[in-house]
Structure formats: C-alpha cells, structure tokens
C-alpha cells in the first residue's frame, strides 16, 4: 500500500512500497505535471512551489526524509 501524508504544514510525503528510484521519480514527475495542469491561480506570498525529491530506503530509515530533502537541491 502506498501512503500520502502531510509531513509539515506545507510539505507532503508520498511513500511507495516496492518501488525503485526511477519508478518513484517517474511517478513524482507525473504528480507534478498533473498539479501544474490544474492551472490554479493563487495569491500567496511566497508563491506556491511543487518540488520532487526522491530517496530510496536501504537499511537507514532514519535518514530517508533527509535524503529526500537533499534530492530537492
């Protein structure tokens, strides 16, 4: 079962079980493309951003979110 959860007030995490880096990256890009295609106009400062960072769990579950964040840069 895949999971979507709010991580912080403005961050979400999508966990894919039984997926590799390339497949997770592809799904992340598809999510990004669909959100962009919605063409929702908002008046926020700073403007909304959608970025995808992908990390693969090896044996170090504790650093998974850190590695996902680092992949955003």
């Amino acid at each position: 079962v895949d999971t979507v959860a709010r991580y912080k007030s403005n961050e979400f995490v999508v966990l894919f079980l039984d997926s590799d880096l390339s497949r997770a990256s592809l799904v992340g890009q598809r999510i990004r493309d669909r959100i962009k295609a919605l063409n929702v106009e908002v008046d926020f400062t700073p403007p909304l951003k959608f970025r995808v960072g992908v990390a693969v769990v090896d044996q170090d579950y504790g650093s998974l979110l850190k590695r996902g964040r680092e992949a955003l840069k």
Side-chain angles (χ1 to χ4, degrees):
V1 177
D2 298 333
T3 303
V4 178
R6 183 179 288 244
Y7 176 61
K8 292 188 176 182
S9 64
N10 62 348
E11 295 181 23
F12 293 85
V13 174
V14 182
L15 299 174
F16 301 108
L17 302 178
D18 299 321
S19 187
D20 61 11
L21 186 62
S22 66
R23 184 174 175 108
S25 296
L26 177 65
V27 173
Q29 186 59 47
R30 286 181 180 167
I31 293 170
R32 180 182 175 167
D33 291 346
R34 288 188 180 190
I35 289 172
K36 187 175 181 179
L38 291 174
N39 252 346
V40 176
E41 292 188 30
V42 292
D43 187 24
F44 292 116
T45 302
L48 293 175
K49 294 180 184 179
F50 184 87
R51 301 182 300 166
V52 176
V54 179
V56 174
V57 174
D58 43 26
Q59 297 300 316
D60 186 10
Y61 293 94
S63 69
L64 177 63
L65 293 175
K66 179 183 176 195
R67 289 182 284 136
R69 246 195 210 139
E70 289 170 353
L72 294 172
K73 299 176 183 176

